[in-house]
Amino acid sequence: MSNFLLAWIVLIPLLSAVSLGLMYLYSIKISKISNIVFTTIGISAPFLSFFIGLSFFLQMIGNDEIFVYKAYTWLGVTGYDIDMGFMADKLSIFMVLFISFVGGLIHIYASGYMRDDKGYGKFFFYFNLFVASMLLLVLADSPIIMFIGWEGVGLCSYFLISYYYEDGANIEAGNKAFIANRVGDFGFIIGLITIFYYAGANGFDYINLEANIASVSPTILTFIGFSLFVGAIGKSAQIPLFVWLPDAMAGPTPVSALIHAATMVTAGVYMVARFHFLYDLIPNVGLFIAYIGAFSALFAAIIATKQTDIKKILAYSTMSQLGYMFIAVGLGGYSVGIFHVFTHAFFKALLFMGAGAVIVALHHEQNIFKMGGMKNKTPLVFFTMLIATLAITGIPPFAGFFSKDEILLTAFSSGQYILWIVGVVTAVLTAYYMFRMMFVVFFGKNYKEDRTIHFIPKSMTMPLVVLAIGSILAGLIGIPEVLGGHNIVGEWFVNWKHDSLHVTHNTELILMGVNILAAFIGIFIAYKKFYMYDMKEVPKFSGLVWNKFYIDEVYDTFIIQKIKQLSVFISYKIDINFIDKIVMGLSRSFIRTGQYVSRMQNANTRFYAFTMLVGISAISTYLIIVIR
Amino acid sequence: MADSILSYITLAMILFSIGFLGVISRKNIFIVYMSIELMLNSVNLIFVSMGRYYESIQPQVIALMIIAIAAAEAAVFLSLIVVMYRRKRTLNSDLFTSLSQKDSNE
């Protein structure tokens, strides 16, 4: 079996990233390299990974084979060997497929979006590095190796948010993302250490952990599950660590599409699904996860209804959809959660890329109330985005309908009616804010009709079409049985616990009806308020929601300012009065001793002779008394 | 015989102490020099008396060599004193401080 190819899924983008980085350095230092070279290498890497992944996928159909490839021993401490291992089970390979495929499409899109940028090669270096890290994250065979990828994607995210580094605000946004993720990673590391300590005796890969986990006491398991989820909160932008995600929109739009919508932010969901053997044993933590997800979903949807920046609307929408995924995985419906990750990757990437196309067409205008009337100017973008919007609002037969319906079904059938209600309300809000954006951007009356539309290259529109087809078809792999379909996703992940769906077909149909109704209510409100919206002037907003519930301000006052005060206290009080006194006092005492000693070097021969006498007498006395 | 070697060594120790006191208490460089010679010869005395006591020839040889070296050293030392006197116009050894830290930039 050609298991070593698993390593190449990660290695190809990594090698490509390294060569792109070197070529970029060569290009800026010595002589210019054409953008075509960067494009070819950068784009081919994720697609090559995709095809390797596909070959493994085809081998897996119809059996439960798990491919493991241990490349070498990464850390060899006696008894605690950690291998650089890759493991492809059904979950990993599923993630690999859509990461590399959607990632590849976004690479193509980026080649159009960034083509006039002077850091073109650098951008693709970061992009490929990101894809490599993300693939390592999903293909790792142990949590430690996964953590390498986990940090790698965080690093690339930081690089790419701060990509336009001339503007200080972008750098702050990058720092914010990085720091918020550090907070989460701290919890993640604590969780890893604990699980290693209690269950890592026979090896630290998932298979051994799964075998050992049952022997750990439930209290410890709860602690581990909670700590690991703190990491997921940071990475997947849930309450309370979500503040970085809206600011992360400072990066170029392809970055938002790839990292902050389709792939990286779903790492938390993947992590929970990957540790399903752990979370199965601690349903209380699972419920906690589901509640965090539900309230993040609702919270983000409420904020999104008032935003004016097109990318921020989509950012909050991403957070909201991630909340849905956490509802599913928290309640044990891992396959449902991953299914939503999958469909979400298509339509959210499409939405971001469409938004990017509109932004480019309007010369980098991001306020939706300054857009308007784009339907006739960019019809292709309009149609593809409409498909994505229908998908996210959950209109059948588009992709989002099936996955969202299954999530709400999971919530309902688990008896968590609060979660279900929150989910349905969020669905109404989702439909409302998405169609608000669509109506304003594409139908709104704009009085500056004469303004020129910037050319949108083919490389930007082509991926839109592919993803639009994906957004229509992606849901078809998970049609529930009640509609005469055949839940391929559920069968693919059949090994996972899935005992919660005890509802009659009639209930299921009614729930579906409720979801569709919710979507249409949202669309209807948006239609009433914003269809043919008259944009004489940009509306001014105020109030609690527009200010995002003052969360940033609250964090600033209660955490950031406190930390600043602490550091001021340390630097001006403790450092000066305590540390400096010790260090400087030490050096002064050396100087003083030296001054005393140097007085002996007074060039007085008689004094020297005297000291010699003293020394010789001392030594002689010693010899006589001690040695005899 | 045992008593007499003890008295020789006592004499040598007294001579050595006198010489040493001379070195650390007198300022005149000639007297310092003479005190050093006294110390040297007190050591010589020990050698010679030991040679007699053990009836061995080796200490006598060493004593002879010390006398020879002391003669050569005397020539060097006296010429140095002459040079230093020309420099400083004094024989006070406390004033020969050109190697001290304070006066090194002289």
PDB file of all heavy atoms in Angstrom, chain A residues 67-94:
ATOM      1  N   PHE A  67      -5.676   4.387   6.914  1.00  0.00           N
ATOM      2  CA  PHE A  67      -4.308   4.417   6.425  1.00  0.00           C
ATOM      3  C   PHE A  67      -3.445   5.169   7.421  1.00  0.00           C
ATOM      4  O   PHE A  67      -3.789   6.279   7.819  1.00  0.00           O
ATOM      5  CB  PHE A  67      -4.232   5.111   5.067  1.00  0.00           C
ATOM      6  CG  PHE A  67      -5.024   4.417   4.021  1.00  0.00           C
ATOM      7  CD1 PHE A  67      -6.326   4.792   3.763  1.00  0.00           C
ATOM      8  CD2 PHE A  67      -4.463   3.373   3.312  1.00  0.00           C
ATOM      9  CE1 PHE A  67      -7.061   4.146   2.807  1.00  0.00           C
ATOM     10  CE2 PHE A  67      -5.201   2.718   2.348  1.00  0.00           C
ATOM     11  CZ  PHE A  67      -6.503   3.101   2.087  1.00  0.00           C
ATOM     12  N   VAL A  68      -2.358   4.534   7.826  1.00  0.00           N
ATOM     13  CA  VAL A  68      -1.442   5.187   8.759  1.00  0.00           C
ATOM     14  C   VAL A  68      -0.051   5.145   8.155  1.00  0.00           C
ATOM     15  O   VAL A  68       0.373   4.123   7.622  1.00  0.00           O
ATOM     16  CB  VAL A  68      -1.438   4.476  10.127  1.00  0.00           C
ATOM     17  CG1 VAL A  68      -0.442   5.135  11.059  1.00  0.00           C
ATOM     18  CG2 VAL A  68      -2.816   4.508  10.731  1.00  0.00           C
ATOM     19  N   TYR A  69       0.630   6.265   8.212  1.00  0.00           N
ATOM     20  CA  TYR A  69       1.999   6.288   7.741  1.00  0.00           C
ATOM     21  C   TYR A  69       2.833   7.034   8.765  1.00  0.00           C
ATOM     22  O   TYR A  69       2.576   8.202   9.062  1.00  0.00           O
ATOM     23  CB  TYR A  69       2.094   6.975   6.378  1.00  0.00           C
ATOM     24  CG  TYR A  69       3.507   7.176   5.919  1.00  0.00           C
ATOM     25  CD1 TYR A  69       4.322   6.086   5.643  1.00  0.00           C
ATOM     26  CD2 TYR A  69       4.035   8.453   5.765  1.00  0.00           C
ATOM     27  CE1 TYR A  69       5.614   6.258   5.244  1.00  0.00           C
ATOM     28  CE2 TYR A  69       5.337   8.637   5.353  1.00  0.00           C
ATOM     29  CZ  TYR A  69       6.125   7.532   5.098  1.00  0.00           C
ATOM     30  OH  TYR A  69       7.414   7.702   4.704  1.00  0.00           O
ATOM     31  N   LYS A  70       3.813   6.331   9.341  1.00  0.00           N
ATOM     32  CA  LYS A  70       4.683   6.987  10.317  1.00  0.00           C
ATOM     33  C   LYS A  70       5.996   7.320   9.634  1.00  0.00           C
ATOM     34  O   LYS A  70       6.769   6.436   9.271  1.00  0.00           O
ATOM     35  CB  LYS A  70       4.919   6.069  11.506  1.00  0.00           C
ATOM     36  CG  LYS A  70       3.636   5.778  12.269  1.00  0.00           C
ATOM     37  CD  LYS A  70       3.919   5.511  13.721  1.00  0.00           C
ATOM     38  CE  LYS A  70       2.675   5.075  14.467  1.00  0.00           C
ATOM     39  NZ  LYS A  70       1.683   6.109  14.640  1.00  0.00           N
ATOM     40  N   ALA A  71       6.255   8.592   9.461  1.00  0.00           N
ATOM     41  CA  ALA A  71       7.420   8.984   8.687  1.00  0.00           C
ATOM     42  C   ALA A  71       8.695   8.777   9.483  1.00  0.00           C
ATOM     43  O   ALA A  71       9.622   8.116   9.038  1.00  0.00           O
ATOM     44  CB  ALA A  71       7.296  10.438   8.263  1.00  0.00           C
ATOM     45  N   TYR A  72       8.748   9.325  10.672  1.00  0.00           N
ATOM     46  CA  TYR A  72       9.939   9.156  11.501  1.00  0.00           C
ATOM     47  C   TYR A  72       9.555   9.512  12.925  1.00  0.00           C
ATOM     48  O   TYR A  72       8.470  10.011  13.175  1.00  0.00           O
ATOM     49  CB  TYR A  72      11.089  10.037  11.024  1.00  0.00           C
ATOM     50  CG  TYR A  72      10.757  11.498  10.944  1.00  0.00           C
ATOM     51  CD1 TYR A  72      10.982  12.340  12.024  1.00  0.00           C
ATOM     52  CD2 TYR A  72      10.202  12.040   9.786  1.00  0.00           C
ATOM     53  CE1 TYR A  72      10.669  13.671  11.957  1.00  0.00           C
ATOM     54  CE2 TYR A  72       9.888  13.376   9.719  1.00  0.00           C
ATOM     55  CZ  TYR A  72      10.128  14.185  10.807  1.00  0.00           C
ATOM     56  OH  TYR A  72       9.809  15.502  10.735  1.00  0.00           O
ATOM     57  N   THR A  73      10.465   9.227  13.841  1.00  0.00           N
ATOM     58  CA  THR A  73      10.199   9.575  15.244  1.00  0.00           C
ATOM     59  C   THR A  73      10.569  11.027  15.447  1.00  0.00           C
ATOM     60  O   THR A  73      11.711  11.422  15.248  1.00  0.00           O
ATOM     61  CB  THR A  73      11.022   8.689  16.178  1.00  0.00           C
ATOM     62  OG1 THR A  73      10.712   7.344  15.876  1.00  0.00           O
ATOM     63  CG2 THR A  73      10.675   8.965  17.611  1.00  0.00           C
ATOM     64  N   TRP A  74       9.562  11.765  15.846  1.00  0.00           N
ATOM     65  CA  TRP A  74       9.776  13.205  15.957  1.00  0.00           C
ATOM     66  C   TRP A  74      10.406  13.537  17.296  1.00  0.00           C
ATOM     67  O   TRP A  74      11.327  14.344  17.397  1.00  0.00           O
ATOM     68  CB  TRP A  74       8.435  13.915  15.784  1.00  0.00           C
ATOM     69  CG  TRP A  74       8.530  15.381  15.714  1.00  0.00           C
ATOM     70  CD1 TRP A  74       9.309  16.107  14.862  1.00  0.00           C
ATOM     71  CD2 TRP A  74       7.837  16.335  16.505  1.00  0.00           C
ATOM     72  NE1 TRP A  74       9.133  17.442  15.078  1.00  0.00           N
ATOM     73  CE2 TRP A  74       8.241  17.608  16.087  1.00  0.00           C
ATOM     74  CE3 TRP A  74       6.912  16.222  17.537  1.00  0.00           C
ATOM     75  CZ2 TRP A  74       7.748  18.763  16.653  1.00  0.00           C
ATOM     76  CZ3 TRP A  74       6.418  17.378  18.093  1.00  0.00           C
ATOM     77  CH2 TRP A  74       6.839  18.639  17.652  1.00  0.00           C
ATOM     78  N   LEU A  75       9.873  12.915  18.350  1.00  0.00           N
ATOM     79  CA  LEU A  75      10.424  13.115  19.683  1.00  0.00           C
ATOM     80  C   LEU A  75      10.649  11.733  20.260  1.00  0.00           C
ATOM     81  O   LEU A  75       9.718  10.949  20.357  1.00  0.00           O
ATOM     82  CB  LEU A  75       9.420  13.839  20.572  1.00  0.00           C
ATOM     83  CG  LEU A  75       9.403  15.345  20.594  1.00  0.00           C
ATOM     84  CD1 LEU A  75       8.331  15.813  21.531  1.00  0.00           C
ATOM     85  CD2 LEU A  75      10.738  15.857  21.052  1.00  0.00           C
ATOM     86  N   GLY A  76      11.871  11.408  20.590  1.00  0.00           N
ATOM     87  CA  GLY A  76      12.113  10.089  21.133  1.00  0.00           C
ATOM     88  C   GLY A  76      12.601  10.157  22.569  1.00  0.00           C
ATOM     89  O   GLY A  76      13.786  10.251  22.820  1.00  0.00           O
ATOM     90  N   VAL A  77      11.661  10.196  23.502  1.00  0.00           N
ATOM     91  CA  VAL A  77      12.029  10.073  24.911  1.00  0.00           C
ATOM     92  C   VAL A  77      11.616   8.670  25.309  1.00  0.00           C
ATOM     93  O   VAL A  77      10.541   8.228  24.943  1.00  0.00           O
ATOM     94  CB  VAL A  77      11.277  11.108  25.758  1.00  0.00           C
ATOM     95  CG1 VAL A  77      11.739  11.047  27.191  1.00  0.00           C
ATOM     96  CG2 VAL A  77      11.457  12.484  25.181  1.00  0.00           C
ATOM     97  N   THR A  78      12.466   7.996  26.050  1.00  0.00           N
ATOM     98  CA  THR A  78      12.208   6.599  26.339  1.00  0.00           C
ATOM     99  C   THR A  78      10.810   6.421  26.912  1.00  0.00           C
ATOM    100  O   THR A  78      10.460   7.033  27.907  1.00  0.00           O
ATOM    101  CB  THR A  78      13.231   6.071  27.356  1.00  0.00           C
ATOM    102  OG1 THR A  78      14.491   6.572  26.968  1.00  0.00           O
ATOM    103  CG2 THR A  78      13.227   4.570  27.378  1.00  0.00           C
ATOM    104  N   GLY A  79      10.031   5.588  26.269  1.00  0.00           N
ATOM    105  CA  GLY A  79       8.676   5.329  26.739  1.00  0.00           C
ATOM    106  C   GLY A  79       7.654   6.302  26.209  1.00  0.00           C
ATOM    107  O   GLY A  79       6.475   6.034  26.243  1.00  0.00           O
ATOM    108  N   TYR A  80       8.088   7.450  25.753  1.00  0.00           N
ATOM    109  CA  TYR A  80       7.145   8.444  25.238  1.00  0.00           C
ATOM    110  C   TYR A  80       7.569   8.861  23.837  1.00  0.00           C
ATOM    111  O   TYR A  80       8.050   9.971  23.641  1.00  0.00           O
ATOM    112  CB  TYR A  80       7.090   9.674  26.142  1.00  0.00           C
ATOM    113  CG  TYR A  80       6.327   9.462  27.407  1.00  0.00           C
ATOM    114  CD1 TYR A  80       6.943   9.596  28.628  1.00  0.00           C
ATOM    115  CD2 TYR A  80       4.980   9.137  27.368  1.00  0.00           C
ATOM    116  CE1 TYR A  80       6.243   9.396  29.806  1.00  0.00           C
ATOM    117  CE2 TYR A  80       4.279   8.941  28.535  1.00  0.00           C
ATOM    118  CZ  TYR A  80       4.909   9.068  29.751  1.00  0.00           C
ATOM    119  OH  TYR A  80       4.217   8.876  30.900  1.00  0.00           O
ATOM    120  N   ASP A  81       7.451   7.957  22.898  1.00  0.00           N
ATOM    121  CA  ASP A  81       7.860   8.312  21.542  1.00  0.00           C
ATOM    122  C   ASP A  81       6.709   8.983  20.818  1.00  0.00           C
ATOM    123  O   ASP A  81       5.574   8.507  20.858  1.00  0.00           O
ATOM    124  CB  ASP A  81       8.272   7.055  20.774  1.00  0.00           C
ATOM    125  CG  ASP A  81       9.595   6.542  21.282  1.00  0.00           C
ATOM    126  OD1 ASP A  81      10.230   7.285  22.044  1.00  0.00           O
ATOM    127  OD2 ASP A  81       9.968   5.427  20.926  1.00  0.00           O
ATOM    128  N   ILE A  82       7.016  10.092  20.186  1.00  0.00           N
ATOM    129  CA  ILE A  82       6.001  10.753  19.378  1.00  0.00           C
ATOM    130  C   ILE A  82       6.466  10.698  17.928  1.00  0.00           C
ATOM    131  O   ILE A  82       7.521  11.225  17.583  1.00  0.00           O
ATOM    132  CB  ILE A  82       5.777  12.190  19.840  1.00  0.00           C
ATOM    133  CG1 ILE A  82       5.136  12.167  21.211  1.00  0.00           C
ATOM    134  CG2 ILE A  82       4.876  12.924  18.869  1.00  0.00           C
ATOM    135  CD1 ILE A  82       5.082  13.477  21.876  1.00  0.00           C
ATOM    136  N   ASP A  83       5.677  10.035  17.110  1.00  0.00           N
ATOM    137  CA  ASP A  83       6.054   9.875  15.712  1.00  0.00           C
ATOM    138  C   ASP A  83       5.476  10.996  14.888  1.00  0.00           C
ATOM    139  O   ASP A  83       4.418  11.539  15.196  1.00  0.00           O
ATOM    140  CB  ASP A  83       5.519   8.548  15.172  1.00  0.00           C
ATOM    141  CG  ASP A  83       6.220   7.378  15.809  1.00  0.00           C
ATOM    142  OD1 ASP A  83       7.441   7.486  15.994  1.00  0.00           O
ATOM    143  OD2 ASP A  83       5.553   6.389  16.130  1.00  0.00           O
ATOM    144  N   MET A  84       6.205  11.342  13.825  1.00  0.00           N
ATOM    145  CA  MET A  84       5.640  12.234  12.830  1.00  0.00           C
ATOM    146  C   MET A  84       4.745  11.356  11.963  1.00  0.00           C
ATOM    147  O   MET A  84       5.172  10.808  10.957  1.00  0.00           O
ATOM    148  CB  MET A  84       6.766  12.872  12.013  1.00  0.00           C
ATOM    149  CG  MET A  84       6.303  13.918  11.037  1.00  0.00           C
ATOM    150  SD  MET A  84       5.295  15.127  11.829  1.00  0.00           S
ATOM    151  CE  MET A  84       6.089  16.620  11.395  1.00  0.00           C
ATOM    152  N   GLY A  85       3.521  11.191  12.414  1.00  0.00           N
ATOM    153  CA  GLY A  85       2.667  10.221  11.751  1.00  0.00           C
ATOM    154  C   GLY A  85       1.494  10.868  11.045  1.00  0.00           C
ATOM    155  O   GLY A  85       1.000  11.919  11.446  1.00  0.00           O
ATOM    156  N   PHE A  86       1.068  10.233   9.990  1.00  0.00           N
ATOM    157  CA  PHE A  86      -0.107  10.700   9.258  1.00  0.00           C
ATOM    158  C   PHE A  86      -1.155   9.609   9.292  1.00  0.00           C
ATOM    159  O   PHE A  86      -0.832   8.434   9.161  1.00  0.00           O
ATOM    160  CB  PHE A  86       0.245  11.022   7.813  1.00  0.00           C
ATOM    161  CG  PHE A  86       1.302  12.080   7.686  1.00  0.00           C
ATOM    162  CD1 PHE A  86       2.633  11.727   7.639  1.00  0.00           C
ATOM    163  CD2 PHE A  86       0.960  13.415   7.641  1.00  0.00           C
ATOM    164  CE1 PHE A  86       3.616  12.697   7.549  1.00  0.00           C
ATOM    165  CE2 PHE A  86       1.930  14.377   7.550  1.00  0.00           C
ATOM    166  CZ  PHE A  86       3.257  14.019   7.504  1.00  0.00           C
ATOM    167  N   MET A  87      -2.392  10.023   9.481  1.00  0.00           N
ATOM    168  CA  MET A  87      -3.450   9.032   9.516  1.00  0.00           C
ATOM    169  C   MET A  87      -4.607   9.533   8.664  1.00  0.00           C
ATOM    170  O   MET A  87      -5.021  10.682   8.789  1.00  0.00           O
ATOM    171  CB  MET A  87      -3.924   8.817  10.943  1.00  0.00           C
ATOM    172  CG  MET A  87      -5.042   7.813  11.032  1.00  0.00           C
ATOM    173  SD  MET A  87      -5.631   7.637  12.706  1.00  0.00           S
ATOM    174  CE  MET A  87      -6.576   9.120  12.892  1.00  0.00           C
ATOM    175  N   ALA A  88      -5.073   8.674   7.784  1.00  0.00           N
ATOM    176  CA  ALA A  88      -6.231   9.039   6.986  1.00  0.00           C
ATOM    177  C   ALA A  88      -7.347   8.083   7.317  1.00  0.00           C
ATOM    178  O   ALA A  88      -7.296   6.915   6.955  1.00  0.00           O
ATOM    179  CB  ALA A  88      -5.901   8.976   5.507  1.00  0.00           C
ATOM    180  N   ASP A  89      -8.329   8.580   8.071  1.00  0.00           N
ATOM    181  CA  ASP A  89      -9.545   7.804   8.190  1.00  0.00           C
ATOM    182  C   ASP A  89     -10.621   8.554   7.417  1.00  0.00           C
ATOM    183  O   ASP A  89     -10.328   9.507   6.695  1.00  0.00           O
ATOM    184  CB  ASP A  89      -9.927   7.555   9.650  1.00  0.00           C
ATOM    185  CG  ASP A  89     -10.175   8.844  10.390  1.00  0.00           C
ATOM    186  OD1 ASP A  89      -9.990   9.904   9.772  1.00  0.00           O
ATOM    187  OD2 ASP A  89     -10.545   8.786  11.563  1.00  0.00           O
ATOM    188  N   LYS A  90     -11.861   8.167   7.591  1.00  0.00           N
ATOM    189  CA  LYS A  90     -12.892   8.759   6.737  1.00  0.00           C
ATOM    190  C   LYS A  90     -13.047  10.245   7.001  1.00  0.00           C
ATOM    191  O   LYS A  90     -13.261  11.030   6.073  1.00  0.00           O
ATOM    192  CB  LYS A  90     -14.201   8.017   6.975  1.00  0.00           C
ATOM    193  CG  LYS A  90     -14.063   6.585   6.497  1.00  0.00           C
ATOM    194  CD  LYS A  90     -15.376   5.889   6.392  1.00  0.00           C
ATOM    195  CE  LYS A  90     -15.185   4.649   5.528  1.00  0.00           C
ATOM    196  NZ  LYS A  90     -16.379   3.861   5.379  1.00  0.00           N
ATOM    197  N   LEU A  91     -12.908  10.620   8.282  1.00  0.00           N
ATOM    198  CA  LEU A  91     -13.046  12.040   8.606  1.00  0.00           C
ATOM    199  C   LEU A  91     -11.929  12.848   7.962  1.00  0.00           C
ATOM    200  O   LEU A  91     -12.179  13.858   7.286  1.00  0.00           O
ATOM    201  CB  LEU A  91     -13.031  12.210  10.127  1.00  0.00           C
ATOM    202  CG  LEU A  91     -12.967  13.626  10.642  1.00  0.00           C
ATOM    203  CD1 LEU A  91     -14.211  14.388  10.240  1.00  0.00           C
ATOM    204  CD2 LEU A  91     -12.828  13.646  12.148  1.00  0.00           C
ATOM    205  N   SER A  92     -10.668  12.385   8.140  1.00  0.00           N
ATOM    206  CA  SER A  92      -9.552  13.166   7.615  1.00  0.00           C
ATOM    207  C   SER A  92      -9.674  13.345   6.116  1.00  0.00           C
ATOM    208  O   SER A  92      -9.503  14.439   5.592  1.00  0.00           O
ATOM    209  CB  SER A  92      -8.229  12.463   7.884  1.00  0.00           C
ATOM    210  OG  SER A  92      -8.178  11.979   9.155  1.00  0.00           O
ATOM    211  N   ILE A  93      -9.967  12.231   5.435  1.00  0.00           N
ATOM    212  CA  ILE A  93      -9.910  12.298   3.986  1.00  0.00           C
ATOM    213  C   ILE A  93     -11.042  13.171   3.454  1.00  0.00           C
ATOM    214  O   ILE A  93     -10.885  13.884   2.466  1.00  0.00           O
ATOM    215  CB  ILE A  93      -9.907  10.879   3.385  1.00  0.00           C
ATOM    216  CG1 ILE A  93      -9.032  10.849   2.136  1.00  0.00           C
ATOM    217  CG2 ILE A  93     -11.275  10.385   3.040  1.00  0.00           C
ATOM    218  CD1 ILE A  93      -7.584  10.941   2.413  1.00  0.00           C
ATOM    219  N   PHE A  94     -12.149  13.148   4.164  1.00  0.00           N
ATOM    220  CA  PHE A  94     -13.272  14.021   3.797  1.00  0.00           C
ATOM    221  C   PHE A  94     -12.853  15.483   3.897  1.00  0.00           C
ATOM    222  O   PHE A  94     -13.098  16.289   2.988  1.00  0.00           O
ATOM    223  CB  PHE A  94     -14.430  13.719   4.759  1.00  0.00           C
ATOM    224  CG  PHE A  94     -15.748  14.303   4.371  1.00  0.00           C
ATOM    225  CD1 PHE A  94     -16.464  13.779   3.315  1.00  0.00           C
ATOM    226  CD2 PHE A  94     -16.269  15.375   5.067  1.00  0.00           C
ATOM    227  CE1 PHE A  94     -17.683  14.308   2.965  1.00  0.00           C
ATOM    228  CE2 PHE A  94     -17.486  15.910   4.727  1.00  0.00           C
ATOM    229  CZ  PHE A  94     -18.197  15.369   3.671  1.00  0.00           C
TER     230      PHE A  94
END
